[in-house]
Amino acid sequence: MTRTLIRGGLVVTASDELHADVLVEDGRIAALAARGSDTAAGWTADRVLDATDRYVLPGGVDAHTHMELPFGGTFASDTFETGTRAAAWGGTTTIVDFAVQSVGRSLREGLDTWYAKADGNCAVDYAFHMIMSDVNEATLREMPKLVEEGITSFKLFMAYPGVFYSDDGQILRAMQVAGGTGGLIMMHAENGIAIDVLVEQALARGETDPRFHGEVRKALLEAEATHRAIQLSRVAGSPLYVVHVSAEEALAELAAARDLGLPVFGETCPQYLFLSTDNLAEPDFEGSKYVCSTPLRPKEHQAALWRGLRTNDLQVVSTDHCPFCFTGQKELGRGDFSKIPNGLPGVENRMDLLHQAVVDGHISRRRWIEIACATPARMFGLYPQKGTIAPGADADVVIYDPHATQVLSAETHHMNVDYSAYEGKTVTGQVETVLSRGEVVIDGRKYTGRAGHGTFVPRATCQYLS
Ligand SMILES: [Zn+2]
C-alpha cells in the first residue's frame, strides 16, 4: 500500500474551503483531517508533499477536447499523448474527448477508432462523448448500447452542412432516443445553412480575411439555433447541453429555458471570456489564430458570459481544445477565411485563466472549482470519482500556488502547437504539483508522468437528471 500525505494546504472544493491535511492511499483519497489535529499527527506516509501557502484542488475536468481531430483536410496538432501531458501541466486530470462517427459508418466503428488512438498514450484519465455525423435507423439503435458502455453523451451539429450537420428531423429523433436512455444531447448551436449563404456572399465580395469569419457567423444565428434546439428538446422530452456558448443572445435563450425549469445546460470556454473580435481582426493573417466556431464575439458579450457563470445560467467552462499550428495549418485559409481550420489551443490554460478570473473578481474561488471540476464531473457522470476531494474519490489532486505569476507563451507551454492564443498575458497562479490517481505526474514544475498512465473512464449518465 502506498500512502502520500499532502500537508498544510487550503483544500478548496465546489462546496468548502478548509485548512486540512489530505491522506492518499492506493490512488484514492483516504481521509481529510484538520491541520494539526491528533488524527493528522498520527498519519504515516511514504511521501509527504508540503502544501503550505498553497491550494489543494481537485484535478480539473475538461469536458470538451479534440485531440487529433480530423478537420478541414488536416488534423488537430495535439495527439492524445501530447495533449493529455499538456493537460496535466495545466492541472487538468480528466478530459472528455469526442469520438467521431464518419458519414456512412457506424458509431461503433468511430468509437473503436478513438479507443485505439487514446489507448496507451494518455498521461491522465480520459472518457469519450460520441459525435453523431449520420443519424439514421442503425445509428439510433446503437445509442443505448453506447450508454451502457459508458459513452453517455452524444454531440450533434446544427452547423457544418455536408460534414457533421444534422437536420431538425434527425436531431429530434436522436433526442427522443437520448431522452429514453438517460443520454445527454450536446449541441453545436449555429444555423449552418444560413451561415453558409453568408460565407459565400462575403467571399464573392472579396471579404476573405479572418475577421469575416466572425462577421458571417452572426450572434443571432447562434441564438436562433439555441432557441430551436431548446424547443426540439422540449418536444422530445430530453435534456440538452449547449456547447461553447459565445453570444449574449444565445445565453438569454438558455436563461429563459432554465427559468421555465427545463433541463437545459450551457457551457462556455475561456476564449469567449478573455478574447474578442479584436483578436480576429489582428493584421497579417494573425487573426486566423483565433478562428473557431462559435466565433469570438465583440468584447461586450464577455460581461454577459461572466454574469451567466455567476448566476448558473452557464454551468461549465471547458476549452474546446482543438489546436492547429499557424504555420502550415491555419495558413490553409490564406485568401479564404472559410478554409481556416476551426479551433484554438487551451487545455493547458483553463485552470490558470479561471483562477485569474477569481483574482479579477469575476467568480469566487469555490465557483472556480465548481465550473472547472465538480459540475463537469456531475454533468457527465463522473462524480464523485472525479471533480472533488473527498474520501473514496480518485486522488486527482493539484497543489496550486495562488501567488506565483507567469506569462503565458508558446515558448513555455507544453501543447503541440506553434502559438499561444494568450501570448504575453500575465496571470497570477500556477500549478505546482499534480497527482493522477495518487501518482505524481507533475512534481514541483517537473513532468514525472508517462504515456499510458491515463486510463479510459466509463461514465454514468448525467447526474443532474436523477
Ligand atoms: Zn468542439
Side-chain angles (χ1 to χ4, degrees):
M1 186 163 69
T2 325
R3 299 177 110 204
T4 304
L5 179 58
I6 304 169
R7 183 177 280 161
L10 177 69
V11 176
V12 183
T13 66
S15 55
D16 296 296
E17 302 187 357
L18 42 123
H19 292 282
D21 295 345
V22 179
L23 184 65
V24 171
E25 243 173 42
D26 290 337
R28 292 190 176 194
I29 307 289
L32 280 74
R35 185 187 295 172
S37 68
D38 287 352
T39 306
W43 286 343
T44 54
D46 306 290
R47 180 164 188 192
V48 177
L49 299 170
D50 180 18
T52 307
D53 295 330
R54 305 288 187 263
Y55 297 157
V56 177
L57 311 171
V61 177
D62 190 340
H64 191 154
T65 68
H66 297 284
M67 307 305 171
E68 307 180 34
L69 179 78
F71 189 95
T74 186
F75 287 84
S77 58
D78 261 320
T79 61
F80 278 90
E81 181 174 353
T82 63
T84 56
R85 194 166 60 211
W89 273 105
T92 286
T93 51
T94 307
I95 63 165
V96 192
D97 204 273
F98 289 83
V100 181
Q101 177 212 5
S102 306
V103 175
R105 305 289 177 85
S106 65
L107 302 185
R108 178 82 260 159
E109 196 178 335
L111 181 58
D112 285 345
T113 302
W114 257 258
Y115 279 141
K117 284 175 195 262
D119 185 37
N121 291 321
C122 292
V124 296
D125 288 351
Y126 60 96
F128 288 119
H129 312 287
M130 188 82 223
I131 286 178
M132 296 183 76
S133 310
D134 191 357
V135 177
N136 58 46
E137 288 298 339
T139 55
L140 289 167
R141 273 198 305 276
E142 287 188 272
M143 289 173 71
K145 291 180 210 154
L146 263 63
V147 171
E148 279 172 30
E149 193 172 323
I151 313 295
T152 56
S153 41
F154 302 86
K155 186 178 180 190
L156 300 172
F157 290 77
M158 303 168 99
Y160 304 128
V163 188
F164 294 128
Y165 175 82
S166 292
D167 68 28
D168 290 352
Q170 290 172 310
I171 290 168
L172 183 69
R173 283 164 46 120
M175 284 175 165
Q176 287 170 334
V177 175
T181 58
L184 182 61
I185 295 292
M186 307 171 76
M187 190 63 75
H188 180 135
E190 281 189 295
N191 186 327
I193 300 281
I195 285 168
D196 275 10
V197 171
L198 297 178
V199 169
E200 200 182 304
Q201 291 170 346
L203 292 174
R205 285 193 297 269
E207 297 170 350
T208 61
D209 287 348
R211 71 186 170 94
F212 294 106
H213 170 84
E215 293 191 9
V216 299
R217 305 188 84 93
K218 306 277 184 202
L220 286 177
L221 295 177
E222 183 188 343
E224 183 277 326
T226 303
H227 179 83
R228 184 155 36 101
I230 291 167
Q231 305 312 330
L232 289 168
S233 73
R234 293 176 79 175
V235 170
S238 83
L240 174 70
Y241 177 94
V242 181
V243 296
H244 50 54
V245 176
S246 70
E248 180 173 9
E249 295 87 341
L251 173 55
E253 297 289 347
L254 293 175
R258 290 180 60 82
D259 287 348
L260 293 175
L262 300 171
V264 170
F265 308 97
E267 156 198 288
T268 191
C269 312
Q271 53 267 36
Y272 307 117
L273 297 164
F274 290 92
L275 304 172
S276 73
T277 46
D278 294 351
N279 299 98
L280 268 176
E282 286 178 16
D284 303 324
F285 201 61
E286 290 282 310
S288 66
K289 294 176 175 175
Y290 308 95
V291 166
C292 56
S293 295
T294 59
L296 302 185
R297 301 294 181 191
K299 266 205 170 69
E300 302 80 78
H301 292 255
Q302 292 173 359
L305 297 177
W306 286 120
R307 191 172 61 242
L309 284 169
R310 286 191 297 272
T311 59
N312 206 38
D313 286 320
L314 294 170
Q315 298 80 36
V316 172
V317 176
S318 307
T319 59
D320 199 4
H321 176 78
C322 192
F324 296 98
C325 287
F326 181 73
T327 303
Q329 293 193 297
K330 290 289 187 180
E331 283 182 328
L332 295 168
R334 269 194 201 273
D336 179 351
F337 69 82
S338 74
K339 294 198 165 58
I340 300 169
N342 283 206
L344 254 64
V347 73
E348 188 173 350
N349 305 129
R350 184 184 66 129
M351 295 297 283
D352 288 332
L353 287 167
L354 291 177
H355 179 257
Q356 184 60 42
V358 174
V359 173
D360 293 343
H362 291 299
I363 51 173
S364 71
R365 209 153 44 187
R366 278 171 288 160
R367 184 62 175 160
W368 167 42
I369 301 308
E370 191 163 33
I371 62 182
C373 310
T375 301
R378 281 200 173 100
M379 189 70 69
F380 297 105
L382 291 164
Y383 196 89
Q385 182 185 357
K386 306 294 187 188
T388 194
I389 294 182
D394 283 356
D396 293 355
V397 180
V398 176
I399 300 178
Y400 196 82
D401 180 351
H403 304 296
T405 57
Q406 54 169 324
V407 179
L408 305 180
S409 173
E411 299 291 317
T412 50
H413 75 201
H414 303 85
M415 299 177 284
N416 184 40
V417 59
D418 63 0
Y419 75 95
S420 169
Y422 307 97
E423 187 66 40
K425 183 177 175 62
T426 300
V427 295
T428 301
Q430 190 169 44
V431 169
E432 198 168 87
T433 292
V434 178
L435 282 72
S436 166
R437 276 178 286 103
E439 207 166 289
V440 177
V441 294
I442 301 287
D443 187 357
R445 303 293 303 159
K446 281 192 301 290
Y447 180 68
T448 54
R450 62 185 168 84
H453 165 76
T455 58
F456 171 72
V457 188
R459 295 182 292 112
T461 55
C462 174
Q463 291 163 315
Y464 289 102
L465 301 173
S466 45

